[in-house]
């Protein structure tokens, strides 16, 4: 990892602090790995888990930009069955300030670039567009309504009378 910094994050549950190293930038290859991790976690053939998009994105930042051991998400119950990692990811992100530290220290534009790339990849895989035609039409109607409301009918009638005369 390039552009390495050292930081300290807090676990709010036990008020303990932990030192960790984190990158402020990613190589092109690591960006691709990040995008694939997030999108593969959210999109399968028959489903798209949009509700956890931000959660997975933030955890991806932790796993790709820090040296924090994230194997804790792979826990099993007493019978040896895998427990859904979302439970542990959500708990970790709520109990610590790691993501805030990483995001504040990222090079300018990286967070936006990753968000945009993830959204485009999700759109490509699912066919779900973030700005569907409906949204565009609603925006157009709102703009037209605003313009019509700003229109001064009295002045227009006076002008029309002058042209008629």
């Amino acid at each position: 990892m390039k552009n390495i910094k050292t930081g300290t994050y807090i676990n709010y549950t036990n008020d303990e602090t932990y030192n960790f190293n984190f990158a402020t930038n990613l190589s092109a290859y690591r960006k691709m790995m990040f995008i694939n991790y997030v999108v593969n976690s959210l999109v399968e053939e028959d489903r798209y888990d949009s509700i956890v998009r931000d959660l997975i994105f933030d955890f991806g930042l932790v796993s790709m930009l820090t040296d924090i051991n994230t194997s804790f998400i792979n826990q099993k119950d007493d019978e040896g069955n895998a427990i859904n990692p979302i439970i542990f990811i959500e708990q970790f992100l709520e109990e610590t300030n790691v993501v805030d530290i990483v995001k504040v220290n990222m090079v300018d534009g990286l967070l936006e670039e990753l968000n945009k790339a993830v959204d485009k990849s999700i759109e490509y895989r699912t066919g779900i567009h973030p700005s569907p035609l409906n949204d565009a039409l609603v925006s157009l109607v709102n703009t037209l309504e605003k313009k019509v409301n700003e229109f001064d009918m009295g002045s227009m009638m006076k002008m029309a009378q002058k042209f008629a005369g």
Side-chain angles (χ1 to χ4, degrees):
M1 291 192 290
K2 292 183 181 180
N3 303 315
I4 303 297
K5 288 187 173 188
T6 300
T8 303
Y9 72 90
I10 301 169
N11 183 318
Y12 300 120
T13 305
N14 58 19
D15 286 328
E16 289 189 35
T17 58
Y18 302 91
N19 294 327
F20 72 110
N21 296 313
F22 60 96
T24 59
N25 201 0
L26 292 171
S27 67
Y29 178 74
R30 299 279 295 171
K31 288 176 186 176
M32 185 179 69
M33 286 177 55
F34 174 85
I35 293 160
N36 285 332
Y37 166 77
V38 174
V39 175
N40 289 340
S41 297
L42 298 173
V43 178
E44 287 189 15
E45 287 181 23
D46 60 343
R47 70 173 176 78
Y48 166 43
D49 296 325
S50 62
I51 195 91
V52 292
R53 187 249 187 238
D54 293 338
L55 191 73
I56 296 296
F57 185 93
D58 286 351
F59 190 73
L61 294 176
V62 172
S63 66
M64 297 297 287
L65 287 160
T66 76
D67 65 354
I68 296 171
N69 181 351
T70 58
S71 64
F72 63 86
I73 68 167
N74 299 318
Q75 296 187 31
K76 297 185 183 214
D77 64 16
D78 294 336
E79 287 85 42
N81 301 315
I83 300 172
N84 191 321
I86 295 297
I87 296 166
F88 303 110
I89 291 171
E90 183 174 33
Q91 182 179 2
F92 177 77
L93 294 177
E94 286 177 354
E95 292 177 355
T96 68
N97 63 338
V98 173
V99 173
D100 296 331
I101 294 167
V102 171
K103 284 181 177 180
V104 164
N105 286 283
M106 292 171 84
V107 296
D108 289 341
L110 179 60
L111 185 60
E112 295 79 15
E113 178 186 11
L114 293 174
N115 265 305
K116 186 176 180 181
V118 164
D119 288 342
K120 283 183 179 255
S121 187
I122 289 170
E123 180 180 353
Y124 176 77
R125 290 220 199 148
T126 64
I128 299 170
H129 305 288
S131 297
L133 184 57
N134 261 358
D135 291 346
L137 289 174
V138 167
S139 177
L140 176 63
V141 168
N142 288 339
T143 301
L144 289 173
E145 284 178 351
K146 183 178 175 187
K147 295 296 180 188
V148 167
N149 289 337
E150 292 174 359
F151 190 70
D152 184 3
M153 189 57 105
S155 296
M156 194 59 140
M157 290 304 290
K158 287 179 187 175
M159 192 182 319
Q161 287 173 349
K162 287 180 184 178
F163 283 126

